[in-house]
Amino acid sequence: MQKSDELPALPAPQAIRGFRLYEAAFDRAGQAALVEDLRGVIAAAPLFSPETRFGRKMSVRMTSAGRFGWVSDRRGYRYEARHPAGGEWPPIPARVLALWHAATGLAREPDCCLLNFYGEGARMGLHQDRDEADFRWPVVSISLGDRALFRIGTTERGGPTQSLWLTSGDLLVMGDAARLVHHGVDRIDFGSSPLLPRGGRINLTLRVVD
Ligand code: SIN
Ligand code: MN
């Protein structure tokens, strides 16, 4: 756990369907520093294109850092201690952990930092994050690069939804009664941010797994 005087100060959050949204939680220099850290993660654990359990390729490419990484293939969705190519996942960067601690106030560190990369046309269907052992731990989401049209539903399938744009530097906490709320990404506004030179969006989700 970082000492509280080392944690980044976050702006006041807004409540959206039980999620806590910290808009512009960290500035442009902080975003660029995070991208550099993530280049190291991707060098150690290259992005891969997962398949759904039905054998369909996901449009998002992904990798992970931490004790566990999230993987998907015909065997289903799950956490694994190793990258599909066999190597260990790299550690979660300290800057990412500091944001987790600042947003949650928890001493416990996340076990997994899932890194999703959205290129042009990539999206993610509405889903719940439910591959973790204990839903009392929150999920923290960090957005970098192109803005994304994020859709939030309810804890029930097929409930009414609401959309909002997530912009580079935004941080979202999905916890408590909203931990199992459906969410997804309808589209990204490709090229809307100069943060990633070739465009695209990175989303990090931090999860306690076991
Ligand atoms: C996710 O639900 O895993 C990703 C959400 C996002 O990309 O904002
Ligand atoms: Mn999710």
Side-chain angles (χ1 to χ4, degrees):
M1 165 73 173
Q2 320 255 330
K3 284 200 239 88
S4 58
D5 58 357
E6 292 167 1
L7 297 182
L10 298 180
Q14 311 172 33
I16 302 178
R17 293 197 174 199
F19 288 180
R20 260 188 357 257
L21 173 63
Y22 297 86
E23 279 185 314
F26 49 104
D27 64 13
R28 178 62 204 264
Q31 294 167 38
L34 220 46
V35 169
E36 275 314 302
D37 292 342
L38 298 174
R39 287 191 202 288
V41 167
I42 291 169
L47 291 168
F48 56 93
S49 301
E51 282 185 352
T52 66
R53 70 186 86 187
F54 310 108
R56 199 145 15 103
K57 225 174 200 72
M58 293 187 183
S59 56
V60 169
R61 291 194 292 148
M62 59 181 63
T63 188
S64 292
R67 290 174 55 226
F68 292 106
W70 189 85
V71 301
S72 169
D73 56 24
R74 285 173 188 266
R75 286 169 49 208
Y77 308 141
R78 63 195 182 278
Y79 287 96
E80 290 281 2
R82 291 187 170 268
H83 186 281
E88 285 185 3
W89 305 104
I92 301 176
R95 245 182 285 270
V96 175
L97 292 176
L99 287 167
W100 161 273
H101 290 303
T104 65
L106 292 170
R108 171 78 144 95
E109 291 197 345
D111 303 307
C112 173
C113 170
L114 172 63
L115 186 162
N116 287 321
F117 177 76
Y118 296 76
E120 192 163 13
R123 58 183 300 280
M124 185 175 290
L126 269 186
H127 65 278
Q128 294 170 298
D129 289 0
R130 51 180 322 136
D131 300 320
E132 302 74 30
D134 186 343
F135 302 138
R136 286 174 297 185
W137 299 107
V139 172
V140 170
S141 150
I142 296 171
S143 292
L144 292 163
D146 291 337
R147 64 184 189 144
L149 191 58
F150 187 71
R151 189 190 288 263
I152 306 174
T154 65
T155 52
E156 308 302 322
R157 251 184 104 165
T161 66
Q162 161 182 355
S163 296
L164 64 132
W165 286 101
L166 288 180
T167 299
S168 198
D170 287 351
L171 185 152
L172 191 65
V173 180
M174 308 188 271
D176 301 321
R179 175 62 179 75
L180 290 175
V181 160
H182 286 78
H183 57 277
V185 171
D186 286 344
R187 65 185 171 93
I188 66 159
D189 186 6
F190 189 78
S192 56
S193 162
L195 186 69
L196 304 176
R198 280 176 283 167
R201 170 176 188 256
I202 294 173
N203 174 261
L204 305 178
T205 43
L206 301 165
R207 300 121 182 267
V208 171
V209 171
D210 60 358

